Amino acid sequence: MQSSVMPKCGRMVGFNASNYHGVQAVQSGQRCAVALWFTLDPTHREQAHDSLHEVLNTLEAAKASEAVKPRVEL
């Protein structure tokens, strides 16, 4: 199967990377490309993502414990 996508500002094209694919030369302007991949396999979780959630959970717990403490005003 072969298809072409005409360029348009803001347009994004997604496809399965295992399919043979390519691009034609840019005649004017510039091409911007972003490589992304997604998985639900937990063995490929990002360590930074896990660390961020640990920090957020710690901050939420600290905020919750401060909310419970009565304030003493002088």
Side-chain angles (χ1 to χ4, degrees):
M1 176 163 104
Q2 184 173 351
S3 62
S4 296
V5 178
M6 298 306 294
K8 180 179 177 184
C9 185
R11 179 169 283 170
M12 183 173 84
V13 178
F15 55 89
N16 185 335
S18 64
N19 295 336
Y20 182 74
H21 59 280
V23 297
Q24 295 178 347
V26 174
Q27 300 297 317
S28 66
Q30 69 183 107
R31 173 180 291 126
C32 296
V34 176
L36 301 170
W37 56 93
F38 300 93
T39 181
L40 298 176
D41 185 343
T43 60
H44 295 289
R45 287 183 59 92
E46 298 270 343
Q47 289 180 349
H49 182 264
D50 292 339
S51 297
L52 174 64
H53 277 283
E54 288 177 24
V55 169
L56 290 175
N57 289 337
T58 301
L59 291 173
E60 285 179 7
K63 186 176 179 182
S65 68
E66 287 177 8
V68 173
K69 292 181 185 176
R71 292 189 85 172
V72 177
E73 295 185 27
L74 300 174

